[in-house]
Amino acid sequence: YTTHALFDEHELPRWTTAREYEQIRAKGNRAFFSNPETEVLSVFVPLYRYLPFLTAFKWSLVGHLLVGSAGVSLLCTRVLQLVEPEAVALIALLMLGSGFYVSHILIGHLQFASFAYFPLILYFVLRARAVKTVSRWQTDATRNSIAAAAVMALCFYEGNVHLLMHLWMFLVLFTLLALPVRREYLLHDLRVLGTTFVWFLLFSAC
């Protein structure tokens, strides 16, 4: 729907109510029913403008996997301090080649493709939680929180609503489980989650 609206009708895609949807469909026109699981916007949309649909679809999946691999690499090397490339490659394979991810893609659930963005989101969140020096931690935390929120919003626009809910549950649970070793930084960790959530709402409301 998005590519049809942008490239054929030259208008921005918009959601319709159930009544509007039936009226538009009755006239033989295309309509987009208000379903948050539908991909509305993606960085890979321009591929559908210049390539055949199936070719663009395949390259879109490749692009998601490349972003996911980059996220895993950043998470492993800069946060988890893993230096062995074999370990990083194994983690990327286990995550991006998991049955959960592959099975959803094979049956056409393209909105699950943005699951590959999750390592990048976790990387930015953990970077925001990392307290360095008194003079820099607040700026670094805000910058990384905004970056995490921007990637989350991209997942939202690609229709990945269910997994975003699970991601937020994981982040809250992760913060609570880390209390025994990060009790003195609890307010900082909660501020990171709050800042990320607020910016995510702002980006998603656009």
Side-chain angles (χ1 to χ4, degrees):
Y1 171 81
T2 302
T3 54
H4 170 73
L6 290 175
F7 305 133
D8 296 335
E9 298 183 355
H10 305 290
E11 63 180 22
L12 293 176
R14 67 181 183 89
W15 286 3
T16 59
T17 64
R19 179 175 298 180
E20 291 175 332
Y21 178 80
E22 293 301 332
Q23 291 175 349
I24 295 174
R25 291 283 293 177
K27 295 179 181 179
N29 297 324
R30 298 191 185 188
F32 173 50
F33 187 62
S34 302
N35 183 359
E37 291 186 329
T38 302
E39 183 182 69
V40 178
L41 185 63
S42 170
V43 294
F44 301 104
V45 165
L47 292 176
Y48 295 91
R49 176 67 176 86
Y50 301 104
L51 297 175
F53 179 82
L54 288 179
T55 304
F57 177 80
K58 293 175 182 178
W59 278 109
S60 175
L61 293 180
V62 171
H64 281 90
L65 293 176
L66 289 177
V67 173
S69 299
V72 170
S73 178
L74 289 172
L75 182 63
C76 291
T77 57
R78 299 193 180 183
V79 176
L80 302 180
Q81 302 298 318
L82 294 178
V83 295
E84 297 83 359
E86 295 83 1
V88 177
L90 179 60
I91 294 175
L93 180 62
L94 290 175
M95 184 237 165
L96 300 176
S98 66
F100 167 81
Y101 187 59
V102 174
S103 61
H104 277 286
I105 296 301
L106 288 178
I107 61 178
H109 292 170
L110 185 59
Q111 66 268 28
F112 281 83
S114 57
F115 174 68
Y117 297 158
F118 282 19
L120 193 60
I121 295 173
L122 188 58
Y123 164 75
F124 285 125
V125 171
L126 293 180
R127 290 272 293 184
R129 285 162 51 96
V131 180
K132 298 180 181 179
T133 61
V134 177
S135 60
R136 288 188 55 194
W137 74 266
Q138 189 168 3
T139 302
D140 289 345
T142 303
R143 184 188 304 118
N144 284 287
S145 295
I146 293 175
V151 182
M152 287 181 184
L154 183 59
C155 291
F156 173 77
Y157 286 122
E158 290 193 9
N160 199 344
V161 179
H162 285 126
L163 291 185
L164 274 177
M165 292 167 39
H166 292 115
L167 175 64
W168 275 107
M169 293 171 59
F170 167 78
L171 291 176
V172 173
L173 182 62
F174 182 80
T175 300
L176 296 178
L177 291 177
L179 276 179
V181 294
R182 289 183 60 88
R183 189 179 301 274
E184 59 182 312
Y185 301 124
L186 175 60
L187 291 179
H188 170 67
D189 293 346
L190 292 177
R191 187 181 296 111
V192 167
L193 288 183
T195 303
T196 304
F197 185 71
V198 169
W199 278 99
F200 165 66
L201 291 180
L202 291 174
F203 287 138
S204 300
C206 295

